[in-house]
Amino acid sequence: SFSLGSFGMMFMSQKQMGKMIKAKKLKETTVKELEEDNKAMWKEWLLIYRKRLAQEIADTSSQEDIIKMNKERLRIMNANNPRFILRNHIAQGAIELAEEGD
């Protein structure tokens, strides 16, 4: 008989299968292919972003408004993006020293 629990198990199995397929594909991907895929995705994102910026500028009436808009964009980006990025290998070294009592 079919129950909600078995449906959940079937769904989880499909989800897990999808993850396994993605992992297999990633394992079989060469570094060059991965770099090419990443480059293509960044180019696509950049194209979309440039179109959005162009539309915002087209919708803006004056040069002064464009300057204000860009200053606000920079303020938001600076407020939300980290100034420093912790590198895992540096953090690991600090963790190991702390565990040794340093």
Side-chain angles (χ1 to χ4, degrees):
S1 83
F2 184 79
S3 70
L4 187 57
S6 62
F7 177 75
M9 290 299 290
M10 184 175 69
F11 176 75
M12 290 298 288
S13 296
Q14 289 176 348
K15 188 175 180 180
Q16 284 299 103
M17 183 62 80
K19 287 181 179 181
M20 289 171 57
I21 290 169
K22 285 182 181 180
K24 183 177 186 283
K25 184 178 177 185
L26 186 58
K27 268 183 151 178
E28 294 170 352
T29 302
T30 66
V31 172
K32 184 176 181 180
E33 290 170 331
L34 188 58
E35 287 174 350
E36 289 171 358
D37 289 348
N38 287 340
K39 189 175 182 179
M41 286 188 285
W42 274 110
K43 281 183 175 182
E44 181 180 346
W45 178 87
L46 187 57
L47 180 64
I48 292 167
Y49 184 66
R50 286 177 137 179
K51 284 181 181 179
R52 192 187 99 200
L53 291 178
Q55 185 61 50
E56 287 178 10
I57 289 171
D59 293 343
T60 304
S61 59
S62 71
Q63 187 69 25
E64 186 177 308
D65 288 341
I66 292 171
I67 291 169
K68 286 180 185 178
M69 182 178 62
N70 283 332
K71 284 183 180 181
E72 179 65 8
R73 182 187 338 277
L74 285 173
R75 186 194 68 73
I76 291 169
M77 284 191 292
N78 289 333
N80 290 288
N81 292 318
R83 183 168 296 204
F84 303 102
I85 300 172
L86 179 62
R87 302 290 182 206
N88 287 341
H89 66 279
I90 295 172
Q92 186 61 42
I95 291 168
E96 290 170 6
L97 288 172
E99 288 173 344
E100 294 171 5
D102 187 5

